[in-house]
Amino acid sequence: MKQNLLSLVAIGLLLPMGLAGQEASTGANSGSQNISPFTQSSKRFNDWSISIGAGVPLIQSADMTSIKNGNGKNLFGYSAYVSVDKAITHAFGLNLQYDRGETRQGYANTKDHVELSGREIAGRTQYDAISILGDLNFSNLLRRVDNKSPFRWALHGYAGIGTIAYKSYRQDPGPYNQVLNFEKKPFKLGSLFGQAGAGLKFKINNRFDIEGRVMYVVTGDDEFDGAGVGQTGYNLTEDQISDNFFNTTLGVTFKLGKHESHLMWHDPLQEIYYKLDVLADKTQDLEVCKKGDVDNDGVCDDWDRQLDTPAGARVDGAGVALDTDLDGVIDLYDKCVTVPGPVENNGCPLTTNNNNGGTGLVSEETTLLKGIEFDLNSDRILPSNTPILNNAINYINSSNSSFRVIGGTDTRGTEEYNQGLSERRANNVKDFLIQNGADKNKIEALGKGETNLLYPECEPASKCPEWKNRANRRVYFEAK
């Protein structure tokens, strides 16, 4: 009756943990935003199984042992187990296990009816045990990413605690006595024991596994071997507080459920392998540029937005010819690639005469001296203008003329502010030229504010696109 009651209690404790674990195994608790309700139909793997097995227990640490070290013979008992197993993840599960067996220890089997000499004793212990075991699947836990071999073997580790009851018998030296020394200990809360070990499983098919186990059982009782029956002094042979034994078994696991695979045999990478194999089977030669490349600009017509790109023009990823300064003249035809200008002047700014304060030296031959532009409200020389100014130094030094460095602004701001800003711009350029080797006797600086616009129509500035206003914010050169 007590055994049945303890079994029901253990099952009651196990079921809530099992149900919670199934949720983790199905991915519903994985953190995905697409969380589906947990139902039996949402399960992808079987996660329940029943295991049975039988084997041989050998007492190793006790006053009477089953293993003889050159003195007498080894005594083999028998054991059997049945367990209900629940897989929580592909690498961890819980087992509710019932064990029953008989150990034989000492110098003879108490059932052999043999006479024992003066210092020999024999014992036999029949036990029943209920325990909860943690099941760690090392093969799934440590599986290599690049391992694509068939998954048929698995190494498991087990550890757990439970309660144990036993009957122990002892035969004392002398002729065989029909009345053996006998002691019985029932199940009780204090009769705790522990066991741990390892098992090697082989997958026969999707329903059956076979497994060999070696478990080490710590009984927690110094009288388990029977030497303590009657307290005759035999129990003092070895100084320990627990009689322990090895239990070697061979068992079969039957996997329950309607699904093809069990969670403990699930390789988390096998779905990726399958998808890769499917993709490999469906691999086709990719046909690039189905419609060709009519304009030979290196961009397929399938996504080319300009199918008539002129030969030699550089294009962007959409096949459109580049226009760096956004003046409407593509770089292939633009004589001033980095400075906006009208189409009729091949993308260069228009020249004006010296009387109106124009750029003077800006022509097809002297585009290096057409000037440089500035950011809004700034007199800082931009790094991108350094090459232009270096070329201007060479031109000035090799020329017989003297030059004015003239600063200008756009029409934003007051006249007083713009006048000062243009003077600072002109002086900064003059200082740069002199510091980098230009003849200072050939250069003078002059600020004209907003009075000499390259694009006079930009008054006010809101009437023009930004590239024209930027062109007005400049320093240019004028021969004296």
Side-chain angles (χ1 to χ4, degrees), residues 50-54 80-83 85 209 211 213 250-254:
I50 295 176
S51 299
I52 59 173
Y81 71 88
V82 59
S83 67
D85 312 326
D209 304 333
E211 179 183 22
R213 286 189 196 178
L250 181 65
V252 177
T253 298
F254 175 65

Side-chain angles (χ1 to χ4, degrees), residues 1-161:
M1 181 65 182
K2 291 183 178 179
Q3 290 183 358
N4 295 335
L5 179 59
L6 287 171
S7 299
L8 291 175
V9 170
I11 292 174
L13 292 173
L14 181 62
L15 283 177
M17 291 183 285
L19 293 176
Q22 173 61 38
E23 199 166 21
S25 68
T26 57
N29 243 1
S30 64
S32 170
Q33 296 299 317
N34 301 317
I35 298 177
S36 58
F38 172 67
T39 62
Q40 288 296 320
S41 60
S42 68
K43 293 168 59 175
R44 299 172 55 199
F45 306 100
N46 299 323
D47 51 8
W48 287 95
S49 59
I50 295 176
S51 299
I52 59 173
V56 177
L58 294 169
I59 290 186
Q60 173 266 341
S61 175
D63 299 295
M64 291 191 293
T65 64
S66 305
I67 305 173
K68 308 302 179 184
N69 297 318
N71 184 16
K73 62 179 181 179
N74 296 324
L75 300 178
F76 299 100
Y78 63 86
S79 66
Y81 71 88
V82 59
S83 67
V84 178
D85 312 326
K86 165 67 178 178
I88 295 177
T89 71
H90 72 290
F92 180 73
L94 289 175
N95 303 344
L96 177 62
Q97 182 166 303
Y98 170 72
D99 290 272
R100 184 166 192 175
E102 178 178 291
T103 64
R104 295 167 184 172
Q105 54 272 358
Y107 285 85
N109 183 1
T110 59
K111 293 184 177 181
D112 288 345
H113 296 215
V114 295
E115 182 175 342
L116 300 176
S117 65
R119 302 195 58 163
E120 295 178 348
I121 56 174
R124 174 165 49 96
T125 304
Q126 298 170 341
Y127 65 89
D128 296 274
I130 298 174
S131 59
I132 294 179
L133 298 177
D135 178 359
L136 190 60
N137 187 341
F138 289 108
S139 294
N140 261 347
L141 187 65
L142 305 176
R143 191 165 175 79
R144 286 168 54 98
V145 173
D146 58 351
N147 186 355
K148 300 182 182 180
S149 61
F151 196 27
R152 303 297 295 272
W153 293 92
L155 178 64
H156 288 245
Y158 301 96
I161 61 173

